[in-house]
Amino acid sequence: MADLDVRALDGILALSTLVTEDLERFEQRHGLSTARVHLLWQLGTAGPATQRSLADALRVSPRNVTGLVDALVDSGHVTREPHPTDRRAVVVTLTDAGRRFVAQLQKSHRNLARTLFGAVPEPRLAAFVDVLDETTRTFARLMEEA
Amino acid sequence: MADLDVRALDGILALSTLVTEDLERFEQRHGLSTARVHLLWQLGTAGPATQRSLADALRVSPRNVTGLVDALVDSGHVTREPHPTDRRAVVVTLTDAGRRFVAQLQKSHRNLARTLFGAVPEPRLAAFVDVLDETTRTFARLMEEA
DNA sequence: TATTGTTATACTCTATAACTATA
DNA sequence: TATAGTTATAGAGTATAACAATA
């Protein structure tokens, strides 16, 4: 049996893989890819945005955002609107269909959380979240230093 | 503050993202992509394999394996050897450089586990791993049913 | 001058289908 | 007939560089 810390890391990755696969099935049922769903999720949580700010938020190139927005305009999930004051920029906005999709995704996310952790007693789950939070903060700090 | 189960799920995904980014930096330092590293990792843990069995293990198409092996032969990490009994098949084997890379990757993995979880007291970490294991088993079972 | 977004180009990962050699 | 792997083709995601319009 591997060390406890390696088992913890492998466990995180295994569970994350299962969750990701579940998300991909959700995406496929809606005919959307992970990259496009990321963009929709970003719009859903942060509101309408220029392509430049989307590129920064998603940490991809502006050229990449052009392609993703093209596809999402074609599929009817977003629209390009003129920026009110900067005529170089466009504002990408969710359509009704886009908002419905994001709402379904959020609901699916909550359902998954309940399915996964609903049976874990509250004190154990609270301790679990604590370890997760501490570890994430520690790691983020270490990565900034390096 | 979101429900505890949603916080647990989001925490898993956030930590997994950080770990994945760390792995990608490691890969880039070695001039390898995630897909190629998966194949090397598979060879490192399960030993030499035919392309067909690699396609099954990685759950990608045989055609995809051809491309990945082509690239890894070019970069000197694997070789194609004739199959001892089946002249249709090739056996993909790690070179010395491939084995060194996998060994470094495993070492980096262990170091990361220690960095992440080394400061967590053993009883808390054991409880953490228990929740992780239970949740993963529950989820895997549910997905098989569906 | 600097910034926003697009066109041009290219690379990787991925898939399916048709094909060859072998089982 | 069935299987292992390759060639042919295609599409998505990603990147950089050059460019046009605007700030």
Side-chain angles (χ1 to χ4, degrees):
Chain A
M1 181 67 77
D3 289 339
L4 205 51
D5 49 11
V6 171
R7 286 177 59 203
L9 177 53
D10 289 348
I12 294 279
L13 295 174
L15 184 51
S16 168
T17 298
L18 290 181
V19 170
T20 301
E21 287 172 358
D22 187 69
L23 174 61
E24 283 170 359
R25 279 189 295 275
F26 182 89
E27 291 166 350
Q28 279 173 15
R29 281 199 298 275
H30 290 79
L32 286 165
S33 66
T34 298
R36 293 173 195 177
V37 168
H38 278 170
L39 198 153
L40 292 179
W41 181 269
Q42 176 66 24
L43 289 177
T45 55
T50 64
Q51 293 190 186
R52 174 73 230 185
S53 67
L54 287 171
D56 291 340
L58 303 177
R59 293 199 285 181
V60 298
S61 65
R63 176 61 186 90
N64 196 348
V65 172
T66 297
L68 296 175
V69 172
D70 283 351
L72 289 166
V73 169
D74 286 350
S75 60
H77 292 89
V78 306
T79 56
R80 281 191 172 98
E81 310 285 350
H83 191 284
T85 62
D86 187 339
R87 284 196 298 171
R88 295 171 306 179
V90 300
V91 177
V92 182
T93 306
L94 288 175
T95 62
D96 286 348
R99 268 188 294 276
R100 277 197 301 276
F101 173 79
V102 172
Q104 281 183 285
L105 182 56
Q106 286 166 339
K107 186 178 172 187
S108 166
H109 188 72
R110 286 191 299 271
N111 285 343
L112 177 58
R114 203 179 323 139
T115 300
L116 286 175
F117 299 108
V120 179
E122 198 271 341
R124 286 186 72 202
L125 190 53
F128 180 81
V129 170
D130 282 347
V131 172
L132 224 34
D133 286 350
E134 278 174 37
T135 303
T136 302
R137 276 198 306 274
T138 304
F139 192 29
R141 182 167 45 73
L142 284 174
M143 291 205 310
E144 272 174 22
E145 289 169 5
Chain B
M1 181 65 79
D3 290 339
L4 205 52
D5 48 11
V6 171
R7 287 177 59 203
L9 178 52
D10 289 347
I12 294 279
L13 294 174
L15 184 52
S16 168
T17 298
L18 290 180
V19 170
T20 300
E21 287 171 359
D22 187 71
L23 173 60
E24 283 169 0
R25 279 190 294 276
F26 183 88
E27 291 165 351
Q28 279 172 16
R29 281 199 299 276
H30 290 81
L32 286 166
S33 65
T34 299
R36 293 172 196 177
V37 168
H38 279 169
L39 198 152
L40 293 178
W41 182 269
Q42 176 67 22
L43 288 176
T45 55
T50 64
Q51 293 190 185
R52 174 72 229 186
S53 67
L54 286 171
D56 291 339
L58 303 177
R59 292 198 286 179
V60 298
S61 65
R63 177 61 185 89
N64 196 348
V65 172
T66 298
L68 297 174
V69 172
D70 283 350
L72 288 167
V73 168
D74 286 350
S75 60
H77 292 90
V78 306
T79 57
R80 281 190 173 98
E81 309 286 350
H83 191 284
T85 63
D86 187 339
R87 285 194 296 169
R88 296 170 305 178
V90 299
V91 177
V92 182
T93 305
L94 288 174
T95 62
D96 285 349
R99 268 189 293 276
R100 277 197 300 276
F101 173 78
V102 172
Q104 281 183 285
L105 182 56
Q106 286 167 338
K107 186 178 174 188
S108 166
H109 188 73
R110 286 192 298 270
N111 284 344
L112 177 57
R114 202 178 322 136
T115 301
L116 285 176
F117 299 107
V120 179
E122 197 270 341
R124 286 185 71 202
L125 190 54
F128 180 82
V129 170
D130 282 347
V131 171
L132 222 37
D133 287 350
E134 279 173 37
T135 302
T136 302
R137 278 198 305 274
T138 303
F139 193 30
R141 181 166 46 72
L142 284 174
M143 290 206 309
E144 273 174 21
E145 289 170 5

